[in-house]
Amino acid sequence: MPNRLAQETSPYLLQHADNPVDWWPWSGEAFEEARKSGKPVLLSVGYSSCHWCHVMAHESFEDQETADYLNAHFVSVKVDREERPDVDAVYMEAVQAATGQGGWPMTVFLTPDAEPFYFGTYFPPAPRHGMPSFRQVLEGVRSAWADRRDEVADVAGKIVRDLAGREISYGDAQAPGEEELAQALLGLTREYDAQRGGFGGAPKFPPSMVVEFLLRHHARTGSEGALQMARDTCERMARGGIYDQLGGGFARYSVDREWVVPHFEKMLYDNALLCRVYAHLWRATGSELARRVALETADFMVRELRTAEGGFASALDADSDDGSGKHVEGAYYVWTPEQLAAVLGDDADLAAQYFGVTEEGTFEEGASVLQLPQQEGVFDAEKVESVRRRLLAARAARPAPGRDDKVVAAWNGLAIAALAETGAYFDRPDLVEAAVAAADLLVRLHLDEQARLARTSKDGQVGANAGVLEDYADVAEGFLALTSVTGEGVWLEFAGFLLDHVLARFVDAESGALFDTAADAERLIRRPQDPTDNAVPSGWTAAAGALLSYAALTGAEPHRTAAERALGVVKALGPRVPRFIGWGLAVAEALLDGPREVAVVGPALDDPATKALHRTALLGTAPGAVVAVGVPGSSELPLLADRPLVGGEPTAYVCRNFTCDAPTTEIERLRSSLNR
């Protein structure tokens, strides 16, 4: 019989609706039940495309004996970390502080007052590799709760006090300058993997935000070292197994240092960020590889993640049916020489050489993850395209990975920005249209009458959870990108609504620091606050970037001041931990450069000469430059005020802090002014 999760909309929670565990969703009712029954709370946090979450569910939560024990002695609460990033952040901080590591599934035991006292991640059904079994953990916690309740309460209270003392107070420092950004670059150089690209060892994650900083730093300073790190990292990833060589798009991370074997889940946020990074790399270098990857990743998002309502789904699972009814990680994506031969016949040897498929395999059981180990130019392009097409068609006949159809506001904001810019750069109006459709969905469904933002929706139904800082910031970022690409002032207006909420509800008025949840949000044991990037830009620095761009487009001084104050944390952390505050460093580059404000005016938006000047403005590499396009006298975009045509021709004005260079009607002159 289904449990309480059957009433939820989260795909992850619904995956557990038929468990014999008597699950509760995160709610006041669950903790009231714990208080009435005198039981501790088991908090289990995961997400739908998490491989080890599925493993633990199958081993423990689907097991009747384990469920009976849980139901007798605990109040069990299941949380989708993607719906409740605030809950996840608070307890993950506790897990990491206590154990030195974290991950999902996250397993935390709480008092009925939601105070944590014992932590872990995945627990196996039987002891192995030094880990206790899940049943041993449950029995130990039950014993401590029954026999040493005062001791448990003391531990929980100490943990909560420790967490409460971690509030970050860097917000009132000055924004970073030349020296701090140079120190950050030096720190990245020390951690850079010169042989394989990227930073650090295994597992290796796509450093999207850091690459954006490197590209902006190169654009501002001419640093060839910064550009080389960005270019080489992007090429290594694009040639590795982390990139889907048939269908486009990136997997979550590589389990090795060489980018060969991915963790096969595909997340919307990774692909949105990387699509934009590769488009910006092409803008800086003209790399054909970067162009191809940007477009293929954009097409992947539209083809495989777009929902019927026009938004973008959260993820594709790592696991899928291997054809025998067994769910196996990577089954959809890997190939053996025999499988190549069955599809390609005489072309199998060419495909094996081109994609690096070997008899030994690079994955499990002799299978290989497709890569591009050699330069493509040594192969016949027409033959390779035929091979790719046939393999993609054959793969489409395999059982596909599951899709998490949940629409997350923040990640859709990132996708909107990526698709709008990629479509504009490469003359793909269909991609811009997809970005507009997703933005329309967010306005129609996720925004209420007070412009408050809901975190998620699914199947056209808005979720109950309030948006967090990254939602407001990333959606505003997407709307601002649409403003620059389309010239439609309505997107600037909506971005302003969202950023007004950031100033009113997320910023500490005294210090300028930002919190991840609004002042009027549900109270947890601590108000989460993290300025460092994770898989996505931190809400703190994403908000700083959106505030800065909005101020450049409108002249709104409170927004610029708030952005500058928020960047104080980057001055403190950038030189010390540059890998983990890449987006903040990228925003700081924009601030140092101005950012530049480009106004393009013409007789009509569809006028060919106006379009050419507008595209040139969008292709400028000046860090964080904003672009407004319209007809003279347009009231929708403040940047266009008092900007007449020169000699009756389309004209561009390049400004900093609303102080402008001489206007120009010449494309080459505009290009030169934005690429220096």
Side-chain angles (χ1 to χ4, degrees):
M1 182 176 178
N3 55 50
R4 294 175 189 83
L5 301 185
Q7 306 303 314
E8 299 296 308
T9 58
S10 158
Y12 176 65
L13 298 186
L14 291 173
Q15 288 170 359
H16 294 268
D18 291 317
N19 290 170
V21 177
D22 187 19
W23 290 113
W24 293 74
W26 179 273
S27 60
E29 291 81 3
F31 289 95
E32 181 59 31
E33 173 64 21
R35 279 187 283 273
K36 285 196 316 186
S37 64
K39 296 177 182 178
V41 173
L42 164 70
L43 173 64
S44 177
V45 182
Y47 56 103
S48 74
S49 57
C50 166
H51 172 71
W52 287 103
C53 299
H54 293 313
V55 171
M56 189 168 176
H58 177 67
E59 292 173 341
S60 296
F61 301 140
E62 295 173 11
D63 177 69
Q64 187 64 55
E65 185 177 346
T66 302
D68 289 344
Y69 193 88
L70 277 169
N71 297 340
H73 303 294
F74 297 87
V75 172
S76 300
V77 175
K78 177 62 77 172
V79 167
D80 181 344
R81 67 175 293 260
E82 296 173 350
E83 285 204 335
R84 291 301 303 262
D86 51 340
V87 172
D88 176 66
V90 164
Y91 292 104
M92 183 60 73
E93 187 175 13
V95 171
Q96 290 173 330
T99 68
Q101 60 187 7
W104 299 275
M106 176 168 62
T107 306
V108 186
F109 294 90
L110 314 176
T111 70
D113 292 324
E115 297 179 340
F117 63 88
Y118 189 79
F119 317 89
T121 52
Y122 164 79
F123 290 107
R128 62 173 182 253
H129 307 307
M131 285 191 293
S133 71
F134 187 48
R135 181 61 178 263
Q136 287 174 324
V137 169
L138 294 178
E139 290 173 349
V141 170
R142 183 206 172 196
S143 174
W145 184 255
D147 302 333
R148 304 190 302 279
R149 184 80 58 90
D150 290 344
E151 181 182 331
V152 168
D154 287 344
V155 168
K158 182 178 182 304
I159 291 169
V160 171
R161 288 191 298 274
D162 178 63
L163 291 175
R166 292 177 173 228
E167 185 170 314
I168 296 167
S169 57
Y170 298 125
D172 210 21
Q174 290 183 335
E178 296 271 3
E179 181 180 351
E180 288 82 15
L181 295 179
Q183 289 175 348
L185 180 65
L186 181 61
L188 290 171
T189 303
R190 294 191 182 113
E191 295 189 67
Y192 181 64
D193 185 340
Q195 287 186 313
R196 308 166 187 88
F199 300 88
K204 192 175 271 186
F205 290 80
S208 307
M209 290 73 81
V210 168
V211 172
E212 185 66 34
F213 160 63
L214 294 172
L215 290 173
R216 291 187 179 189
H217 189 77
H218 165 72
R220 186 178 62 83
T221 68
S223 168
E224 287 301 319
L227 180 61
Q228 182 178 350
M229 285 191 286
R231 183 174 52 215
D232 291 354
T233 294
C234 286
E235 178 167 354
R236 293 284 185 162
M237 290 193 298
R239 291 186 172 281
I242 192 173
Y243 184 67
D244 183 348
Q245 303 296 341
L246 296 182
F250 288 85
R252 178 70 196 91
Y253 62 85
S254 173
V255 301
D256 55 83
R257 298 182 65 176
E258 291 80 14
W259 307 106
V260 175
V261 178
H263 186 40
F264 290 90
E265 62 187 344
K266 284 182 170 180
M267 311 300 296
L268 173 62
Y269 52 73
D270 283 319
N271 286 284
L273 289 164
L274 287 165
C275 176
R276 202 177 188 192
V277 159
Y278 278 88
H280 289 174
L281 177 62
W282 171 83
R283 184 175 65 178
T285 66
S287 162
E288 178 56 33
L289 177 66
R291 177 186 183 278
R292 177 173 65 79
V293 171
L295 284 170
E296 288 178 355
T297 303
D299 286 336
F300 156 75
M301 287 192 287
V302 173
R303 183 182 66 247
E304 298 192 34
L305 293 179
R306 195 175 189 189
T307 69
E309 295 74 32
F312 291 92
S314 297
L316 299 180
D317 287 354
D319 303 358
S320 59
D321 191 324
D322 65 358
S324 69
K326 181 181 179 183
H327 270 63
V328 176
E329 185 179 3
Y332 187 69
Y333 298 101
V334 298
W335 296 83
T336 64
E338 293 75 20
Q339 289 171 327
L340 292 182
V343 174
L344 301 173
D346 293 342
D347 291 332
D349 288 343
L350 178 148
Q353 185 180 2
Y354 185 80
F355 289 119
V357 176
T358 65
E359 290 291 342
E360 298 80 13
T362 56
F363 186 50
E364 297 171 354
E365 299 180 3
S368 291
V369 183
L370 302 190
Q371 305 172 70
L372 290 184
Q374 302 184 51
Q375 293 292 333
E376 299 95 302
V378 302
F379 295 88
D380 180 272
E382 189 174 331
K383 179 75 77 172
V384 165
E385 184 54 33
S386 170
V387 163
R388 189 192 304 273
R389 219 171 28 244
R390 284 181 281 164
L391 289 178
L392 187 60
R395 192 178 78 176
R398 295 175 173 178
R403 188 173 86 163
D404 183 337
D405 285 333
K406 176 173 75 266
V407 171
V408 176
W411 307 350
N412 274 255
L414 297 174
I416 289 164
L419 292 170
E421 291 183 356
T422 303
Y425 295 171
F426 302 118
D427 195 22
R428 285 282 304 275
D430 59 309
L431 298 180
V432 178
E433 289 168 7
V436 170
D440 282 338
L441 175 70
L442 293 180
V443 169
R444 186 174 72 252
L445 198 60
H446 286 242
L447 280 181
D448 68 11
E449 293 179 353
Q450 288 77 44
R452 292 186 178 229
L453 193 59
R455 170 73 174 172
T456 63
S457 66
K458 184 177 179 293
D459 300 329
Q461 298 296 314
V462 68
N465 298 310
V468 296
L469 179 60
E470 70 169 14
D471 293 304
Y472 285 84
D474 290 338
V475 172
E477 175 83 10
F479 288 173
L480 293 169
L482 271 184
T483 301
S484 290
V485 167
T486 67
E488 295 179 4
V490 65
W491 302 118
L492 181 65
E493 184 178 8
F494 281 124
F497 294 155
L498 296 173
L499 293 174
D500 286 345
H501 276 294
V502 170
L503 296 180
R505 300 168 58 225
F506 291 88
V507 177
D508 182 274
E510 291 187 10
S511 70
L514 289 99
F515 290 91
D516 293 332
T517 54
D520 54 355
E522 177 188 350
R523 287 191 172 275
L524 303 174
I525 58 169
R526 156 174 162 75
R527 191 177 178 190
Q529 180 188 46
D530 187 357
T532 60
D533 299 329
N534 198 295
V536 295
S538 78
W540 184 319
T541 57
L547 288 162
L548 184 64
S549 295
Y550 183 80
L553 281 163
T554 64
E557 192 57 38
H559 295 74
R560 184 178 177 94
T561 299
E564 291 175 349
R565 294 183 77 193
L567 288 175
V569 74
V570 182
K571 181 173 183 176
L573 297 181
R576 291 163 41 198
V577 288
R579 277 177 60 193
F580 304 103
I581 200 158
W583 193 255
L585 293 168
V587 176
E589 288 287 348
L591 180 64
L592 273 184
D593 195 66
R596 283 179 240 193
E597 308 135 5
V598 188
V600 176
V601 289
L605 289 180
D606 59 357
D607 168 64
T610 304
K611 290 171 69 175
L613 209 59
H614 178 214
R615 185 169 184 271
T616 301
L618 293 171
L619 290 176
T621 57
V626 299
V627 178
V629 61
V631 298
S634 171
S635 60
E636 284 191 321
L637 301 174
L639 198 56
L640 300 180
D642 302 319
R643 303 280 191 253
L645 304 181
V646 173
E649 297 184 40
T651 305
Y653 297 78
V654 179
C655 317
R656 281 188 177 96
N657 297 320
F658 283 77
T659 300
C660 303
D661 298 339
T664 183
T665 61
E666 300 173 11
I667 284 178
E668 285 305 320
R669 190 171 165 192
L670 175 60
R671 181 179 291 119
S672 175
S673 70
L674 291 174
N675 293 329
R676 57 175 167 82

